[in-house]
Amino acid sequence: MNSVPTVRYEVNDQLAVITVDNPPVNAMAPGMREEIVAGIERANADPAVQAIVLTGANRNFIAGADIRQFGKARGISSAESTAAIVQSAKPIVAAIEGYCLGGGLEHALACHYRVAAPSARMGLPEIKIGLIPGGGGTQRLPRLVGARAALDLILSGRHVDAKEALALGIVDLVTEQPVLGAARDLIQRRSPAAPLPHVDSMTIQDADERVFAEARKRTARQRIKAAAYAIELVEAATSRSVPEGMALERARFSELEGSDESRALRYAFFAERTSAKVPGAPEDYRPPRVTRPAVIGAGTMGGGIAMAFADAGIAVRLLDASAEGLERGIQRIAANYAAKLKRNTITEDEIRERMALIQPTLSYDDIVDCDAVIEAVFERIDLKLEIFSKLDRIMGPDALLLTNSSAIDINTIASATQRPHMVAGSHFFAPANVMKLCEIVKGDASSIETILRAAKMGRDLGKISVIAGSCDGFAANRSRAPLVTEMMLLLEEGALPQQIDKVMMDFGYPMGPFAVSDLSGLDVSYDTRKRRAAANPEYRKLHVPDRLAEMGRHGQKVGAGWYRYEAGSRTPMPDPVVAEVIAGVARDFNIPQRQFSDDEILRRLLFASVNEACKIIDEGKALRASDIDVMWLNGFGFPRHRGGLLYWADSIGADNIYRQISEWHAAYGKRWQPSRLLASIAAASGQLREATAA
Ligand code: COA
């Protein structure tokens, strides 16, 4: 495989073909824009050339600028290379297959014609990394497809397929034939005397103030600046020439490129891709796709996992021990799809297709030919041991045996089988069909192939698979548990749920942690705490949530938990009853009360988790700091524009955090015992985000 970025120039029968080649997706590396410009100049100077084709190697066009180069000097800008395309006297056709994103689409938009293969995927995804298109995208796309459609693409960052691109008018034609041949045919069909079509001279068809007002309304709650700038720029395109609009675009782009939010989002982009890399993976091992999965247990989690398979187009068998349980599970799935239909995120036909992919059964005989089984029954160890010992007896020798347990040791579960190397955790987050995180838990005996297969299964479900080791809570929940403890203890010391929730929402969470707890149910965590307390005599009891759960305040489903809820409403309302319970606990245990600043609340919650995350990495239960960040972003709603827990922690500084934790250790005792890894990173003035398991 060629890994040196190159731009090839070939002339073939009067057609100059400029091919961008930078595997795998032809990100635009430094020097490539210059070579595109040189190719255009060369073709224009060569009397033997009639027309030019811009295309990409590796079955892709260009997936945009090389994100690693942002913030560094990188030669000429896309503004300059697209200007060379626009100014070419000879026609230029963009021949597009595969990804044509960001700067790639901007180069295509500057071309006179665009032909696409059915595989083409186009979009301006810059918003996802806190940027706006910087090579004319905000000026040319609205001229081609209208302001409304352009704003939709730029503000969502979504990709459109070839069919939609054609319907929107982004491409001139979609063809089954090889794109180079289609480009040549197009050139041969056009009259050489006809003027070249230029997007720059088109006018925006729906230049209506209402379009922009709507877009502003829609993005009002987004915290990143890029959205506001994108709207400003598309609006500017209605009254300015392309060069004028692009000058403003350039200025805004430069400002955003250096912003904290874009840096954090770029970090998150690479952190997610790094999490797919498993050290020690055999070079030549390609994990096979899971094609015949079975899920055991038709409860909320099992049903959600079955939906995730159906949503990915994979037929799945759903097994439950009881006919009623199975029936209830199928009804719950149907109700979830019905709710999606109401929100217009699915069609009736799609629901029919997906329901048909979920095959309910009461018999293990129906799953013996499956290539993966995911157990998702109650967290009862005897039940799990029985199921795994049965699976061991009946399943084929290559079947993956996975558990969705969030609490039970993988090694214990694996010990029920004669093939512990085939056993691992695939821990989904509720709702399993929605949340992107799939924590792949490695037991001591799990083979690397088992882990790679399980991780691939997660990715095939559209999830982000991140690897963790087996320990109480694994990496994701274990790293969050101290935050939960601190939020409860802060209450005992004088804070209120609504204050803590506000601090976390101001930080960027979509919901506060107490409102989330009301959604998942106070009874669930109550049971987990009971189990932990029974197993650990030093377990610090959390009196406030215990008392609320014992009062039947189980959360939103009963209209009362940390908040109260009016009938039919999901809006949390502060409840004096909760304040009384808190005051009662403080009285009973003689806990002094005081006021907390927002900053102290934020630090107490997040530093507790930073400390635990360092312990997890130190013990090798997570491979790298960035994996924990990926878990927080995709499992817990941590604000993406802050990069992740440990990325954020670096903005405070490991030394500052270590000092504060040491003080709290002295004041509050053992639970604040500083992590060794944190101490060593602090002493070396290092970056937490770069920490890796030894
Ligand atoms: N710059 C630098 N590297 C990029 C890149 C870019 N624009 N786009 C992809 N890559 C790299 C990835 O880091 C990954 O590298 P790795 O194998 O070393 O981890 C590799 O290309 C493949 O990408 P991946 O995301 O794993 O493949 P995919 O097939 O799932 O998705 C894309 C492909 C193009 C959809 C996805 O990579 C993407 O969204 N890229 C960013 C596109 C973008 O934002 N462009 C505009 C930039 S302004």
Side-chain angles (χ1 to χ4, degrees):
M1 191 171 70
N2 176 9
S3 57
V4 181
T6 46
V7 177
R8 285 196 297 280
Y9 178 91
E10 288 140 337
V11 179
N12 202 328
D13 200 7
Q14 296 192 316
L15 207 61
V17 180
I18 299 172
T19 308
V20 174
D21 186 354
N22 185 16
V25 292
N26 310 326
M28 199 88 90
M32 290 185 127
R33 293 178 185 79
E34 285 81 348
E35 290 192 51
I36 292 174
V37 174
I40 293 168
E41 284 169 359
R42 192 165 157 193
N44 273 284
D46 183 349
V49 169
Q50 184 196 359
I52 303 161
V53 176
L54 178 63
T55 194
N58 315 306
R59 300 227 178 93
N60 283 303
F61 188 69
I62 301 166
D66 183 336
I67 299 173
R68 292 182 204 277
Q69 299 302 322
F70 286 128
K72 302 181 190 158
R74 53 178 184 279
I76 68 166
S77 66
S78 287
E80 289 165 86
S81 49
T82 54
I85 297 176
V86 170
Q87 283 151 18
S88 168
K90 295 184 182 176
I92 307 187
V93 188
I96 303 164
E97 46 181 354
Y99 289 117
C100 170
L101 303 173
L105 179 56
E106 290 176 306
H107 280 77
L109 291 174
C111 291
H112 305 104
Y113 304 99
R114 285 157 293 279
V115 301
S119 67
R121 311 274 303 171
M122 300 181 208
L124 293 174
E126 288 83 350
I127 193 106
K128 296 192 172 159
I129 46 172
L131 296 173
I132 49 164
T138 64
Q139 304 302 299
R140 294 198 173 101
L141 190 62
R143 283 177 161 80
L144 199 59
V145 304
R148 187 186 299 274
L151 279 170
D152 166 40
L153 291 186
I154 296 170
L155 293 175
S156 69
R158 73 185 177 93
H159 303 170
V160 296
D161 61 15
K163 201 167 138 206
E164 189 177 354
L166 183 65
L168 285 170
I170 299 178
V171 295
D172 301 292
L173 69 95
V174 175
T175 173
E176 296 282 348
Q177 91 184 93
V179 280
L180 278 184
R184 178 179 294 283
D185 290 353
L186 186 147
I187 291 298
Q188 281 168 354
R189 276 199 311 275
R190 82 177 279 279
S191 148
L196 287 175
H198 282 288
V199 172
D200 292 18
S201 48
M202 295 170 77
T203 40
I204 297 177
Q205 291 303 311
D206 57 350
D208 183 337
E209 166 51 28
R210 274 173 304 182
V211 172
F212 302 103
E214 272 168 31
R216 283 200 181 88
K217 207 168 144 198
R218 229 187 17 252
T219 54
R221 287 188 46 198
Q222 280 185 12
R223 292 166 190 252
I224 57 171
K225 248 191 200 161
Y229 282 170
I231 300 170
E232 176 198 25
L233 281 156
V234 174
E235 192 159 23
T238 63
S239 59
R240 300 191 193 193
S241 69
V242 169
E244 283 168 353
M246 281 179 70
L248 182 62
E249 188 187 63
R250 201 69 225 147
R252 296 293 188 238
F253 182 91
S254 302
E255 180 195 328
L256 292 173
E257 185 178 352
S259 67
D260 289 344
E261 62 197 32
S262 177
R263 283 177 209 274
L265 290 164
R266 273 143 41 196
Y267 164 84
F269 175 88
F270 287 113
E272 287 177 350
R273 276 141 190 94
T274 303
S275 68
K277 298 185 180 24
V278 185
E283 270 283 300
D284 51 352
Y285 181 70
R286 296 279 163 276
R289 191 179 158 84
V290 166
T291 54
R292 295 183 313 283
V295 175
I296 300 183
T300 311
M301 282 312 283
I305 298 168
M307 282 177 81
F309 278 110
D311 291 347
I314 303 172
V316 54
R317 283 161 242 185
L318 180 59
L319 185 148
D320 201 277
S322 82
E324 305 80 71
L326 196 56
E327 178 60 32
R328 255 201 321 275
I330 294 290
Q331 276 169 8
R332 195 179 304 111
I333 293 173
N336 283 339
Y337 278 133
K340 288 181 77 167
L341 182 68
K342 247 189 170 165
R343 291 195 302 268
N344 273 329
T345 55
I346 198 169
T347 65
E348 290 201 33
D349 281 346
E350 283 166 341
I351 296 183
R352 258 191 300 278
E353 280 164 25
R354 294 185 200 182
M355 289 302 288
L357 288 173
I358 301 175
Q359 299 151 5
T361 175
L362 292 167
S363 164
Y364 278 82
D365 293 344
D366 289 336
I367 68 164
V368 290
D369 63 329
C370 286
D371 54 1
V373 186
I374 299 131
E375 165 277 312
V377 304
F378 316 109
E379 297 286 23
R380 257 186 37 210
I381 198 153
D382 53 334
L383 197 57
K384 305 226 179 214
L385 294 180
E386 187 190 312
I387 290 172
F388 274 81
S389 122
K390 181 164 198 165
L391 291 173
D392 189 32
R393 284 197 306 277
I394 63 164
M395 298 306 296
D398 295 328
L400 266 183
L401 305 185
L402 303 174
T403 172
N404 178 56
S405 174
S406 60
I408 296 174
D409 183 36
I410 303 297
N411 297 326
T412 310
I413 294 176
S415 71
T417 74
Q418 304 294 316
R419 43 174 134 173
H421 63 289
M422 302 293 284
V423 180
S426 58
H427 177 210
F428 290 80
F429 288 71
N433 56 318
V434 178
M435 296 304 283
K436 294 270 279 185
L437 178 59
C438 182
E439 188 177 24
I440 304 298
V441 190
K442 186 178 176 327
D444 292 345
S446 315
S447 72
I448 185 103
E449 287 80 7
T450 295
I451 296 306
L452 293 169
R453 282 175 71 191
K456 173 159 170 59
M457 181 190 81
R459 281 196 299 278
D460 286 342
L461 296 179
K463 312 271 178 218
I464 298 185
S465 298
V466 190
I467 294 168
S470 191
C471 54
D472 189 12
F474 313 138
N477 285 344
R478 178 178 158 190
S479 62
R480 189 172 180 273
L483 176 152
V484 176
T485 304
E486 289 312 311
M487 71 194 224
M488 303 308 175
L489 298 182
L490 276 169
L491 298 181
E492 296 181 359
E493 293 169 38
L496 282 172
Q498 51 271 33
Q499 184 191 6
I500 296 176
D501 273 1
K502 181 167 181 307
V503 169
M504 299 314 268
M505 286 176 74
D506 287 347
F507 181 70
Y509 275 92
M511 280 173 93
F514 287 102
V516 170
S517 166
D518 270 353
L519 254 189
S520 43
L522 276 72
D523 44 335
V524 180
S525 44
Y526 180 77
D527 291 343
T528 313
R529 281 197 302 279
K530 280 239 130 129
R531 242 196 343 263
R532 295 232 159 94
N536 175 6
E538 288 184 27
Y539 187 78
R540 166 66 161 90
K541 283 218 167 93
L542 299 176
H543 306 289
V544 180
D546 284 354
R547 287 190 188 179
L548 291 177
E550 282 156 10
M551 287 162 72
R553 297 187 66 110
H554 290 174
Q556 233 187 69
K557 58 191 167 195
V558 295
W562 293 105
Y563 296 95
R564 64 183 181 84
Y565 298 85
E566 290 185 347
S569 161
R570 288 165 165 271
T571 310
M573 321 271 279
D575 191 340
V577 177
V578 174
E580 273 166 37
V581 170
I582 295 172
V585 169
R587 256 195 323 273
D588 293 352
F589 294 91
N590 258 331
I591 304 167
Q593 300 288 286
R594 68 181 177 94
Q595 300 266 319
F596 289 91
S597 72
D598 289 358
D599 194 49
E600 186 176 357
I601 290 176
L602 184 75
R603 289 175 178 231
R604 269 276 290 272
L605 299 191
L606 293 183
F607 287 7
S609 280
V610 168
N611 196 31
E612 190 67 26
C614 290
K615 292 179 185 173
I616 292 170
I617 300 165
D618 202 18
E619 289 169 28
K621 301 297 181 189
L623 292 169
R624 17 178 128 77
S626 60
D627 283 2
I628 295 198
D629 284 345
V630 173
M631 292 176 182
W632 279 59
L633 293 174
N634 294 289
F636 303 140
F638 189 88
R640 203 172 167 85
H641 67 277
R642 296 193 186 271
L645 177 70
L646 294 161
Y647 181 89
W648 168 81
D650 280 332
S651 73
I652 311 286
D655 47 348
N656 288 327
I657 296 179
Y658 175 69
R659 210 173 311 121
Q660 177 66 79
I661 287 180
S662 302
E663 274 174 31
W664 283 335
H665 185 215
Y668 295 108
K670 194 166 166 203
R671 70 178 202 273
W672 282 100
Q673 170 80 48
S675 137
R676 276 186 331 187
L677 180 67
L678 173 64
S680 69
I681 294 173
S685 304
Q687 301 260 313
L688 291 165
R689 75 185 75 155
E690 282 164 10
T692 54

